[in-house]
Amino acid sequence: MTITLTVNREERIFSGDPRTPLVDVLRDHLRMTGTKAVCREGFCGACMVHVDGAPMASCLLPVGSLDGAAVNTIEGVATREHLNAVQQAFEDHDVVQCGMCFPGMVMTMSRFFQTNTSPDRDEIKAAMTGNICRCTGYERIIDALMSIRTNEATP
Amino acid sequence: MQDNADAAVMNFPRRDARDKLLGRTKYTIDVGGSEVIHAVLLRAEVASAQVLRLDVEAARSMPGVRAIATWEDAPGAHGIGIADHPIFARDVIRYHGEPIAAIAADTLEQAHAAARAITLELAPLPAILTMAQALEKDAPLVHPDWKDYDILFEGAARGGNVAWEATVARGDTDAAFDRPDVTIIDGVYRVGRQSHVPFEPRAVVAAFEDGRHHIQTSTQVPWTVRHVTARVLNIPESQVRVTVPAVGGGFGLKFDCSLEPYAAILAKKSGRVVSLVNSRREEQMTCLCRENAEIRIRSAVTADGEIVGREATVLMDCGAYGGEQVFLTTMTAHTLGGNYRLGSVRLSSRAIYTNTPPNGAFRACNGVYNTFALERHTDEICDAIGMDRMEFRRRNVVGDQDIGATGQVFEGDVLRPMIDRMQALCAKHPNSRKNGQRLDDGRIYGRAMTVGTWFIFVGPSAATVNLNVDGSATLVTSGVEIGSGSMMHALPQIVAAGLGIAPEQVIVKTADTDAAGRDLGVGGGRTTVSIGAASAAACDEVRDKLLAVASEMLQTAPDQLVLADGRVEIRGRPGSGTTIQKVVAEAETRTGPISGSGAFTAPGIEAMPGCAAGHFIDAIDIPVFAVHDCELAIDPDTGQVEILAYRVVQDVGRALNHRAIHGQIQGGVVQGMGYALHEEITINEQGCFDQTGFEAYRLPLAQDVVPIEFDLFEGAPSCGPLGTKGAGEVPILNVGATIGCAIANATGKQVSQLPLTPPRVLALLDGRDEPLALDHISAVWSDNTLRR
Ligand code: FES
Ligand code: FES
């Protein structure tokens, strides 16, 4: 079976086992290793990608279900010269530690801020529940995200 | 040096953030591609058995298989203190998950298929799954041949299932306990195992190049990997090169050599580049956890709160092999004996063999649970003699010239003023809530403040600094960046301050054992201190060479020259000098390029002779202190505990990067909250862990946490560069203690165990909680030693 999908606006063809999780197609076949497979159970959020615009855990998605889908990964959200607002806030507040959770965190929260322009702290925390971080203890990440909100709220 | 110190203090941002945020950073798990083949381990699925037959012939001819390794390929045994650990089971399986064979094939699936084709015949043996079983009279021995093992460090008592025993005896505790004017307080405590769950599992990529092993690995200890790999392969250490890409979290789990030798053997046999990565399930099920422990503390205390005698026994489960627990027996002397003044003391700290997966090092190691036990015990003392908890601590914490358990003399008053600072921090948020009070929503309020003592693990480090013609400097050490940021923050800041250049101008090379000198590794809060001190010393040499040349160029004595902003200036005359680039260019024509090397090792603080036996270090070179305060609420219907506020006063020596330390405090305290409230590995009748993944092993989530308030205590004595102490390890130290004490205060019940899961808290509240009994630890201290 051949599956055609768009990854970061480029058409890609996959002709292996359709049960292969998307995360393995990205990492092993396309060698795009920014998406991390940490728990493979849908709990940690490190493997988050956007499928047709919606954040999803790529460890739980058999590639066979994605024929014709548009997938965006961490490699596709920004360039080194122009980070997106979430990435920029994380860099400015110097909140990154080991970094393994951040690709997933960026994918979840970038999408969240597209639809929530001025969330409060609790709403941000609720949005982050599906993204686990073992290093940081979260609060400084939330501080960084709160700064995006403030920036947008003050034109 | 003072100018230097001030120049080193800044919120310098980490340089690896951007690539990490873009998904471009290549961790060891990300190394791959068509030239890399894949390995798996065949692991035991029983806890204890005799190996009757191991046959890999059928597997060898399976599709895609490139190499198979078994015990025949790794003759040596390794260990800390005792060489008790072969990397493959040979005749005996000692734990569930123990490697039996390693297979490399073109694909992971092929490697797994070949593993399934290996024939293994076993005869079951009795399994020792608890320390109580291990210490029973006539218990089967996990290592019947324990007497024949190579001893790597002399002086400990060993015997039967006691892998290692460290004891402390100072003063006459018998006389103290016999005094008519003392109250005797006797407490027992127990904690479970904690799993690190680094987001990058242990992983390695090995190659055999020009007759040498090249190991790229996710480790905290490149030189340990080099040493252990050579030891088990029985080859010279010089034949092993270790390099370390970005490491996706360690927390102590990667402080041991683990997967590396298997990959090295397979790479040599196959002639290919071999990747070996623990699946999440393997990573969980063979995690070198913070060990489960059982503790008994007895104290003889006078009515005015003087601790005239203390006796304690700590049983640490090392699992099937001694590992880090052998070393960590040493730390009981300082974590149970380095907080409070003790008139006399006897301690027995024992690593016990069981047929369970080996344990390891985890951020502040046994300090975390010894502090829990000691602070609970301290509150029990206060209740027994009717003294206010803070008053008791204020009177008894060690201060300037007080002696620790092993007779080491402490310098400076640190803990007492830190308690004052904590009270000032708390006073910013006054509230009239009382322990046990019902809040408006019906929940029960609890609060506690605790103290803790830990140490900076020092030991040898080496550094080289090359001053480049463009005025930048390259720092070459064996440091690795595990996520904590020491390599990104403190080290470039120290070098920049030492050379008068911007930290952006300091290139920090990550570990390559072919390029940098030996180092004990990243852990124990030692990077800033040990590697930092070696780096500062290397800068001193560079500075001397630079100033010697500049002195001639500027016709000014070297002591009248200063380095700042990338220039050499005549003191007091800004703009009078020249640029570093010009001096380096001049030096090249005279003597050649400028570089310097520096080294550091433990200064070696003295203990009282004869106090300590079986200890790897008798005194701690850099003690670190912490004071924590926690307010919480308990839901009486569910047993759920919510942290309302958490405060930390931490002894940091000097804070080089406030923002980075904040990140470590927030992250470390949250790991401690997990430990205190819900993280626990349990072991079933098969000797295998129940928590095999993220679903069963619950980690703290964003909604579980609060912003940690903190105050950094600066100025305590430290031999670290610019007066620093490591700040990354210690934030977790007294979290279990503080939450445990707060829950005891809220409920008015005896809290003796961690974690305090909702069912356990409900049982406490309902009075259904059986009092903890540890019958295998005698009230007669000497019965808990081999030297009796
Ligand atoms: S790897 Fe997909 S959610 Fe954890
Ligand atoms: S930064 Fe390490 S897991 Fe989040």
Side-chain angles (χ1 to χ4, degrees), chain A residues 9-24:
Chain A
R9 294 169 290 280
E10 258 182 63
E11 191 174 286
R12 301 291 200 145
I13 294 174
F14 177 79
S15 48
D17 185 339
R19 292 166 304 177
T20 310
L22 174 61
V23 67
D24 293 337

Side-chain angles (χ1 to χ4, degrees), chain A residues 96-102 105 132-136, chain B residues 199 248 251:
Chain A
V96 175
Q97 292 191 22
C98 87
M100 283 285 295
C101 66
F102 274 92
M105 198 93 72
I132 302 180
C133 174
R134 187 51 158 167
C135 300
T136 63
Chain B
F199 268 34
F251 316 116

Side-chain angles (χ1 to χ4, degrees), chain A residues 33 36 80 91 98 134 138, chain B residues 18 26-27 30 196 700:
Chain A
T33 56
K36 303 301 183 202
R80 210 170 192 290
E91 185 180 79
C98 87
R134 187 51 158 167
Y138 305 103
Chain B
R18 186 165 292 201
K26 291 282 179 199
Y27 302 85
D30 298 325
H196 312 66

